[in-house]
Amino acid sequence: MLDKYIYGAQGILLVYDITNGQSFENLEDWYNVVKKVNEESETQPLVALVGNKIDLEHMRTVKVDKHQRFCQENNFSSHFVSAKTGDSVFLCFQRIAADILGIKLNKAELEQSQRVVKADIVNYSQEPVARTVNPPRSSMCAVQ
């Protein structure tokens, strides 16, 4: 059924887990399927390589240079995201859509997807505060 989903697609994302070397090794097989399905097509899809789980950078097993080399060898666009935190996901899709349409994104469009930093707001009042079982949750803030 995979060939039915990707035939005629204008864009294909090959996504792997940066903390799982085997998921990266499987990319060659996935790309071969894409090439086989589209070998008789007049237009080839834009293929993007997406490294997921950048929130787990400390557990990375697939090095960035290996990712970049695979992109260069196969003429893929390169992206790193975190599906868990949402970091760079919107920017990834925006860049891929722009590439497909032949549009160049301006600096403002590229910067609007900056990472949002979550922080707790702490109230340091001078009065002693009674401990509660379920303290109220704090708001989120963004550092610009």
Side-chain angles (χ1 to χ4, degrees), residues 117-137:
V117 179
K118 295 180 182 176
D120 289 333
I121 298 173
V122 180
N123 182 4
Y124 290 107
S125 64
Q126 300 298 332
E127 304 170 21
V129 178
R131 288 198 166 257
T132 59
V133 176
N134 292 322
R137 294 195 49 100

Side-chain angles (χ1 to χ4, degrees), residues 34-143:
V34 170
K35 289 190 292 190
K36 184 178 180 197
V37 168
N38 290 293
E39 65 189 356
E40 295 178 15
S41 179
E42 292 178 15
T43 59
Q44 295 299 310
L46 176 130
V47 180
L49 182 61
V50 181
N52 187 29
K53 297 190 179 181
I54 59 170
D55 55 299
L56 300 176
E57 185 66 36
H58 63 286
M59 296 172 57
R60 177 186 281 274
T61 60
V62 179
K63 303 294 181 207
V64 174
D65 63 330
K66 192 173 186 180
H67 170 104
Q68 298 296 1
R69 195 173 326 112
F70 193 70
C71 287
Q72 290 173 349
E73 290 170 359
N74 296 289
N75 198 28
F76 295 164
S77 61
S78 171
H79 309 271
F80 291 99
V81 303
S82 171
K84 180 178 181 181
T85 65
D87 190 19
S88 297
V89 172
F90 180 77
L91 179 60
C92 173
F93 281 100
Q94 188 177 32
R95 285 179 53 204
I96 292 167
D99 288 346
I100 290 169
L101 296 171
I103 299 170
K104 184 164 176 59
L105 297 176
N106 62 37
K107 186 176 179 180
E109 290 167 327
L110 292 171
E111 289 178 351
Q112 77 181 4
S113 296
Q114 292 296 323
R115 184 176 185 173
V116 175
V117 179
K118 295 180 182 176
D120 289 333
I121 298 173
V122 180
N123 182 4
Y124 290 107
S125 64
Q126 300 298 332
E127 304 170 21
V129 178
R131 288 198 166 257
T132 59
V133 176
N134 292 322
R137 294 195 49 100
S138 64
S139 302
M140 286 181 31
C141 67
V143 177

